[in-house]
Amino acid sequence: MPEATAAAQPGTWVDPYRAYNFKLLINSVTSGHFTEVGGLGVQVERISYREAGNNSIVRAIPGRVTYPPVVLRYGLTASAELWDWLLTAVNGSVNRRNVSIVMLDSTGATEVLRWNLLNAWPQEWLGAPLDAMSRELAIETLTLAHEGLNREAGGAPAAS
């Protein structure tokens, strides 16, 4: 029987991770300063069927698995790296890359968790809203389509 970890012991409090301590890696390289990542998820379609001879009972089995697009928000800079990646899709030759969203501990120094988006490519870009009366940062939005999602414990090698 495996030993229980300290976090699993009754009465032991474990602080949840902070939503603001993360970084984004594209092909194992830290890319940009992202303010928000949304849409991480997976959905398993439910297929209902009736058991033969017993129409009063409806059973369910898992069906198609889908992954919603992941939405990245980041501050507008002079860097054209993400824009150039988007243009490959616009020009019809999709450049698929592995993208990792890395969760960091409360100090922001140590990786504790990682989600890997497999074969991601830019699906949509929205420019930063511009307002001469505002003092806000110019924030752009990039939406990534991908073919799969996996989760790894901290310290795992990057998706490549």
Side-chain angles (χ1 to χ4, degrees):
M1 183 170 184
E3 287 187 36
T5 62
Q9 298 299 316
T12 302
W13 175 257
V14 178
D15 284 333
Y17 301 127
R18 308 298 194 261
Y20 57 82
N21 275 338
F22 67 93
K23 64 182 176 180
L24 189 100
L25 305 174
I26 298 176
N27 282 348
S28 303
V29 176
T30 301
S31 299
H33 298 282
F34 292 86
T35 60
E36 184 179 340
V37 174
L40 280 175
V42 61
Q43 181 179 15
V44 180
E45 184 178 315
R46 178 184 190 269
I47 300 174
S48 299
Y49 72 96
R50 293 194 186 273
E51 204 171 281
N54 191 353
N55 287 333
S56 63
I57 297 175
V58 177
R59 304 276 186 204
I61 59 172
R64 184 176 61 149
V65 177
T66 56
Y67 302 93
V70 172
V71 179
L72 308 174
R73 294 177 41 89
Y74 55 96
L76 175 62
T77 67
S79 172
E81 183 179 355
L82 293 175
W83 178 257
D84 292 342
W85 186 28
L86 169 70
L87 288 183
T88 64
V90 169
N91 294 326
S93 60
V94 175
N95 179 358
R96 296 173 189 270
R97 299 180 182 175
N98 290 320
V99 174
S100 296
I101 296 131
V102 178
M103 193 76 187
L104 304 171
D105 67 0
S106 61
T107 67
T110 305
E111 178 180 333
V112 293
L113 195 60
R114 174 185 297 243
W115 293 274
N116 297 314
L117 309 178
L118 308 175
N119 296 321
W121 53 275
Q123 172 186 328
E124 180 180 14
W125 170 83
L126 295 172
L130 303 175
D131 180 356
M133 300 304 289
S134 173
R135 293 179 181 253
E136 301 293 321
L137 293 175
I139 303 291
E140 294 182 305
T141 302
L142 182 66
T143 302
L144 300 179
H146 62 96
E147 296 177 351
L149 175 69
N150 64 41
R151 177 179 152 162
E152 298 176 359
S160 52

